[in-house]
C-alpha cells in the first residue's frame, strides 16, 4: 500500500494527488488549533529539507466539522494523525474519532525528539489511545532515540497494531552570509534523502523486534527506494518530501516499484517483503529458481 507521509500533502488543495494513494494520512491534529511556528518554516539543504511547521492545524473541533466531511468526499481511505502534549490529549482525540466510520486508522504521532523518556511516554500514550478507540492504531516513532527496538516493543505491548517509521530528525541550517539560523525557530526536522539509511535501519530493527506491520518512510524518491524499505521489513511505504517537488510521485513510484520487482524476477513488490533478513545465498537461489521457472 502506498500512502503519503503526514504533513506532506494537502489533500483538499491537491485531491488528484491524494486519489493516487491507497490511503491519505492527515496532518497531525491536536486538541486546540495551532498557528505553528514563526516563519521561515522551510529550508532546503544539500541532503534534504528542514521544516519547523510546528504542528500547524485547525484543532480537533474544526477538523471534525469542516475538514473530515470534505476529506471523506475524496473516496480514499483516511488515516488521521493524532498529536498532543499530554497522554489525555491523545486519548480524547481518539475517543472523538472512534465513532467516525470514515476514519480507517489512527496514526499516533509520538515522535517528539525532545521527549526524555520515550519508552514510558509511548507506553502511556498508546495504552490510553487503545482504551479510547477500536480503530487500528499505528505508532509513529522517532529514530532519534537510544534504542528504537525498545520503544517499538513498548508500543506493541501497549496495543499498537502497526508502526510508522520514521519521523524527521533534528537539524540546523545556517544562512551562508549571516551565519544565523535559516529557520525562524532555529532548528527544524530534517527529511528527504538524508533520512533514507536511518529509515532503513529503523524499519529493519523494528521488524526484527516486533514483527508488526510497518509503514516505511524517509527519503523515498524512487520505486527502488520503496522496494528497499519493503525488503527491510515495511509492509507499506509513505511518500513525504518528494511530494513537494513531484506531485506525480505516487503514480511514478508505483510504476517504478513494480518494474523494480519484475526486473528481479518477482511478480510484485510483496515478494521482496523482509528479504533483507534472509541470507544472500537463499535469496540468490530463489531469484535464479524463479527465473528458470519463468523461462
Ligand atoms: C513539511 C513537513 C511537515 C510534516 N508534518 C508532520 C506532521 O504533522 N506529523 C507527522 O507525524 N510527521 C510530519 N512530518 C514528517 C513526515 O510525515 C515524514 O515522517 C518525514 O518527512 C520523513 O519522510 P520523507 O523523508 O519522505 O519526507 C512532516 C514533514 C515535513 C517535511
Amino acid at each position: 500500500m502506498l500512502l503519503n507521509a503526514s504533513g506532506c500533502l494537502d489533500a483538499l488543495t491537491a485531491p488528484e494527488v491524494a486519489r493516487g494513494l491507497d490511503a491519505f494520512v492527515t496532518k497531525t491534529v491536536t486538541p486546540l488549533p495551532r498557528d505553528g511556528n514563526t516563519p521561515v518554516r522551510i529550508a532546503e539543504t544539500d541532503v534534504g529539507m528542514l521544516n519547523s511547521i510546528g504542528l500547524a492545524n485547525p484543532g480537533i473541533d474544526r477538523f471534525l466539522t469542516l475538514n473530515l466531511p470534505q476529506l471523506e468526499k475524496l473516496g480514499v481511505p483516511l488515516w488521521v494523525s493524532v498529536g498532543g502534549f499530554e497522554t489525555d490529549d491523545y486519548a480524547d482525540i481518539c475517543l472523538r474519532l472512534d465513532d467516525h466510520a470514515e476514519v480507517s486508522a489512527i496514526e499516533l504521532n509520538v515522535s517528539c525528539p525532545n521527549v526524555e523518556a520515550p519508552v514510558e511516554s509511548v507506553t502511556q500514550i498508546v495504552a490510553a489511545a487503545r482504551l479510547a478507540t477500536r480503530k487500528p492504531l499505528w505508532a509513529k516513532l522517532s529514530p532519534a532515540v537510544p534504542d528504537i527496538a525498545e520503544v517499538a516493543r513498548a508500543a506493541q505491548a501497549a496495543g499498537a497494531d502497526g508502526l510508522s517509521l520514521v519521523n524527521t530528525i533534528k537539524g540546523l541550517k545556517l544562512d551562508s552570509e549571516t551565519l544565523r539560523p535559516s529557520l525562524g525557530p532555529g532548528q527544524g526536522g530534517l527529511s528527504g534523502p538524508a533520512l533514507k539509511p536511518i529509515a532503513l535501519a529503523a524499519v529493519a530493527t523494528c521488524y526484527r523486534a516486533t514483527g508488526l506491520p510497518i509503514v516505511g518512510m524517509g527519503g523515498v524518491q524512487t520505486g527502488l527506494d520503496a522496494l528497499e524499505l519493503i525488503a527491510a521489513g515495511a509492509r507499506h511505504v509513505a511518500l513525504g518530501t518528494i511530494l513537494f517537488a513531484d506531485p506525480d510521485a505516487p503514480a511514478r513510484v508505483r510504476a517504478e516499484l513494480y518494474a523494480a520487482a519484475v526486473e528481479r524476477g518477482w511478480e510484485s513488490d510483496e515478494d521482496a517483503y523482509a528479504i533483507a533478513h534472509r541470507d544472500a545465498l537463499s535469496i540468490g537461489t530463489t531469484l535464479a529458481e524463479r527465473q528458470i521457472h519463468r523461462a
Side-chain angles (χ1 to χ4, degrees):
M1 194 158 84
L2 194 63
L3 307 97
N4 65 294
S6 173
C8 296
L9 177 64
D10 181 349
L12 298 180
T13 53
E16 67 295 343
V17 180
R19 287 198 191 98
L21 300 162
D22 299 303
F24 171 73
V25 186
T26 69
K27 169 92 191 149
T28 296
V29 183
T30 54
L32 297 174
R34 287 174 57 84
D35 291 335
N37 291 322
T38 43
V40 175
R41 298 182 186 185
I42 300 268
E44 302 251 352
T45 78
D46 298 338
V47 292
M49 191 170 109
L50 279 177
N51 91 82
S52 59
I53 305 290
L55 296 185
N57 79 93
I60 188 64
D61 289 344
R62 276 172 64 94
F63 175 81
L64 289 177
T65 51
L66 294 176
N67 298 37
L68 194 54
Q70 292 196 56
L71 290 171
E72 190 185 2
K73 288 187 198 143
L74 290 169
V76 177
L78 299 176
W79 291 27
V80 178
S81 168
V82 171
F85 301 93
E86 292 173 21
T87 301
D88 285 352
D89 293 346
Y90 290 86
D92 292 347
I93 298 182
C94 286
L95 195 61
R96 295 186 63 186
L97 291 170
D98 193 51
D99 281 341
H100 286 268
E102 66 275 34
V103 175
S104 329
I106 294 175
E107 188 174 80
L108 298 170
N109 180 359
V110 288
S111 327
C112 179
N114 300 324
V115 170
E116 269 177 26
V119 173
E120 286 75 8
S121 49
V122 165
T123 299
Q124 282 175 14
I125 292 167
V126 176
R130 184 69 292 161
L131 286 176
T133 182
R134 297 152 290 177
K135 294 199 185 287
L137 286 176
W138 294 74
K140 181 159 178 188
L141 306 184
S142 165
V145 289
D147 183 358
I148 197 166
E150 206 188 357
V151 183
R153 278 192 294 262
Q156 182 175 37
D161 301 291
L163 302 170
S164 296
L165 303 166
V166 290
N167 213 317
T168 55
I169 210 160
K170 269 264 151 83
L172 171 67
K173 181 181 180 184
L174 298 181
D175 181 275
S176 54
E177 292 297 316
T178 65
L179 298 181
R180 302 298 198 281
S182 301
L183 293 178
Q187 301 186 1
L190 180 65
S191 63
L195 268 191
K196 189 179 130 182
I198 294 165
L200 281 168
V203 167
T205 301
C206 295
Y207 167 82
R208 280 178 184 270
T210 67
L212 282 176
I214 293 172
V215 180
M217 73 195 89
V220 174
Q221 294 184 293
T222 66
L224 186 53
D225 295 333
L227 193 66
E228 287 182 39
L229 281 170
I230 293 166
R235 275 277 175 214
H236 314 295
V237 173
L239 303 177
T241 303
I242 186 65
L243 290 171
F244 295 95
D246 178 11
D248 296 328
R252 177 179 58 75
V253 168
R254 218 187 270 283
E256 290 172 359
L257 179 58
Y258 178 71
V262 169
E263 258 171 41
R264 286 160 181 76
W266 293 319
E267 273 170 22
S268 85
D269 53 83
E270 281 176 29
D271 294 335
Y273 177 59
I275 206 164
H277 299 274
R278 288 162 52 189
D279 70 68
L281 190 62
S282 73
I283 294 165
T285 313
T286 313
L287 269 177
E289 275 169 3
R290 281 171 193 263
Q291 267 147 8
I292 290 165
H293 190 66
R294 221 157 271 183

